[in-house]
C-alpha cells in the first residue's frame, strides 16, 4: 500500500477505532469491575454468569431461537430466489422489489402489525376458526409466533444474498447437465445447489446474527415469558441497574456468536473455492 493509499485509509481507521474498538474496550473494562463507578477490578461478573444455570439456559435458548428462525427463512427464501432467477426480467424486478419492500418499513411498525395478526382475534385465528378450529391458536407470546415474526422480518437478509449468487451461475452449466442426460432434480442437486451455497451461507450468517439480536421483536412478541439474551442484558442494565454484569453478559454473548461464525467461516471459504472452480 502506497503512502497516498495509507493516508486515504486513515479516516476510515479513525472512525473504526472511535466507534467500534473504543466502545468495545469500554464494555470489556466495565464488565471487569464490581460496580458502575469502576473502582475495583474483579471477575465476579463472569463467575456469576458461569455458575448460574439460569444464565446458561437463556444463552442456549437464544442461540437455538436464531437457528430455528434461520432455517425457516432458508426454507422460504431459497425457492423464492430460485423462482426469481428463472423469471423474466420484468418479474425479477418485481420479486426483488417485494423482497426489499419490508426493509423500507420500520421493524417496530412491522412487529406491532404482527401483534395484531397473531392475537386471539387476529387474522390467523380468524382463518383458523373459519376452517373449523375449535379454539383460537395461542401464537402471541410463544416461541412459534416469535419465529414466524423473525422469519418475515429478516427474510430479505436471507433472500438477497442467495438471489445475487444464483444470478451469477453460468446458465450453460445447467444446460450441459441436461444435455448429458440429467433431469431437473439431478441438475439442481449436482449443479445449482452446490454453486449457490456461498449465498446460502452468507444469508444464514446475516439472518442468524440478526435474529438472535432482534431486541424489539423478541420483547414485543415474546413478552416477559420468553427471556433471551438482548432482553436479559436490558433487564440487568436498566431494571437492576447492574451495568457491570450487563457488560459481562454482552461480552459472553458476543464471544458465543463469534465462535459460531468462526466455525462457519471455513465452510464458507470452501464453498466459495468450489464455486470459483
Amino acid at each position: 500500500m502506497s503512502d497516498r493509499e495509507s493516508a486515504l485509509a486513515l479516516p476510515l481507521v479513525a472512525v473504526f477505532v472511535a466507534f467500534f474498538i473504543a466502545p468495545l474496550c469500554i464494555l470489556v473494562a466495565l464488565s471487569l469491575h464490581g460496580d458502575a463507578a469502576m473502582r475495583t477490578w474483579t471477575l465476579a461478573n463472569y463467575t456469576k454468569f458461569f455458575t448460574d444455570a439460569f444464565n446458561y439456559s437463556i444463552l442456549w435458548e437464544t442461540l437455538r431461537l436464531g437457528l430455528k428462525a434461520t432455517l425457516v427463512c432458508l426454507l422460504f427464501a431459497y425457492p423464492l430466489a430460485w423462482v426469481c432467477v428463472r423469471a423474466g426480467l420484468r418479474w425479477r424486478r418485481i420479486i426483488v422489489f417485494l423482497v426489499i419492500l419490508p426493509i423500507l418499513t420500520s421493524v417496530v411498525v412491522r412487529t406491532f402489525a404482527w401483534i395484531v395478526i397473531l392475537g386471539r382475534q387476529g387474522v390467523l385465528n380468524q382463518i383458523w376458526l373459519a376452517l373449523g378450529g375449535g379454539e383460537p391458536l395461542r401464537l402471541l407470546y410463544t416461541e412459534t409466533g416469535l419465529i414466524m415474526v423473525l422469519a418475515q422480518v429478516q427474510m430479505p437478509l436471507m433472500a438477497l444474498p442467495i438471489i445475487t449468487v444464483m444470478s451469477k451461475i453460468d446458465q450453460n452449466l445447467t444446460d450441459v447437465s441436461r444435455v448429458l442426460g440429467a433431469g431437473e432434480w439431478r441438475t439442481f442437486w449436482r449443479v445449482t445447489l452446490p454453486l449457490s451455497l456461498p449465498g446460502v451461507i452468507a444469508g444464514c450468517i446475516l439472518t442468524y446474527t440478526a435474529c438472535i439480536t432482534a431486541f424489539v421483536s423478541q420483547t414485543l412478541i415474546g413478552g416477559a415469558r420468553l427471556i433471551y439474551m438482548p432482553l436479559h442484558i436490558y433487564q440487568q442494565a436498566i431494571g437492576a441497574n447492574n451495568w457491570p454484569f450487563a457488560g459481562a453478559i454482552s461480552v459472553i454473548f458476543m464471544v458465543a456468536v463469534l465462535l459460531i461464525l468462526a466455525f462457519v467461516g471455513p465452510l464458507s471459504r470452501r464453498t466459495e473455492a468450489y464455486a470459483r472452480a
Side-chain angles (χ1 to χ4, degrees):
M1 181 179 294
S2 63
D3 294 339
R4 181 180 177 83
E5 292 174 339
S6 301
L8 292 175
L10 285 178
L12 179 61
V13 173
V15 170
F16 182 76
V17 172
F19 294 100
F20 181 77
I21 299 298
L24 185 59
C25 292
I26 294 174
L27 177 65
V28 174
L30 178 63
S31 69
L32 293 173
H33 285 80
D35 55 3
M38 301 178 68
R39 291 187 293 264
T40 59
W41 294 85
T42 178
L43 293 174
N45 295 311
Y46 292 93
T47 304
K48 179 180 178 181
F49 183 92
F50 288 112
T51 55
D52 190 346
F54 177 70
N55 295 317
Y56 276 123
S57 65
I58 295 177
L59 177 59
W60 166 249
E61 289 298 325
T62 304
L63 300 177
R64 193 167 64 91
L65 172 71
L67 178 61
K68 291 180 179 179
T70 301
L71 292 177
V72 173
C73 278
L74 180 60
L75 180 64
F76 288 95
Y78 197 93
L80 177 64
W82 189 85
V83 171
C84 177
V85 171
R86 280 154 180 76
L89 180 60
R90 180 180 178 183
W91 281 106
R92 184 182 303 179
R93 291 175 177 174
I94 293 175
I95 294 175
V96 172
F97 173 75
L98 293 177
V99 171
I100 297 176
L101 185 61
I103 303 178
L104 305 179
T105 307
S106 171
V107 175
V108 178
V109 175
R110 282 185 284 165
T111 304
F112 273 111
W114 272 104
I115 293 178
V116 178
I117 295 173
L118 298 177
R120 292 180 64 86
Q121 303 298 325
V123 176
L124 293 182
N125 270 315
Q126 292 295 332
I127 296 174
W128 169 252
L129 295 176
L131 293 175
E135 293 289 335
L137 298 173
R138 187 169 172 268
L139 298 174
L140 198 58
Y141 309 128
T142 63
E143 187 181 67
T144 301
L146 179 57
I147 291 174
M148 293 171 59
V149 174
L150 290 175
Q152 188 275 330
V153 171
Q154 311 300 343
M155 183 66 70
L157 298 180
M158 178 68 76
L160 292 177
I162 299 177
I163 292 174
T164 301
V165 173
M166 275 192 174
S167 62
K168 295 179 180 180
I169 297 177
D170 190 352
Q171 193 62 35
N172 292 327
L173 296 176
T174 57
D175 294 338
V176 169
S177 176
R178 296 190 188 96
V179 169
L180 294 177
E184 288 290 338
W185 280 107
R186 188 173 180 83
T187 299
F188 171 78
W189 285 108
R190 300 298 296 271
V191 179
T192 305
L193 181 60
L195 293 179
S196 63
L197 283 180
V200 172
I201 295 176
C204 287
I205 292 174
L206 293 174
T207 305
Y208 184 81
T209 54
C211 287
I212 61 177
T213 57
F215 173 75
V216 173
S217 299
Q218 293 176 9
T219 304
L220 295 180
I221 303 299
R225 299 180 184 178
L226 302 177
I227 300 179
Y228 298 101
M229 289 296 283
L231 179 59
H232 190 34
I233 295 170
Y234 175 83
Q235 290 176 340
Q236 293 298 323
I238 305 301
N241 200 29
N242 192 351
W243 287 90
F245 186 51
I249 298 174
S250 302
V251 172
I252 293 171
F253 186 35
M254 179 184 64
V255 171
V257 175
L258 290 177
L259 290 176
I260 295 175
L261 296 182
F263 174 77
V264 177
L267 179 61
S268 176
R269 288 191 290 271
R270 291 194 193 97
T271 57
E272 290 176 358
Y274 177 83
R276 287 194 298 267

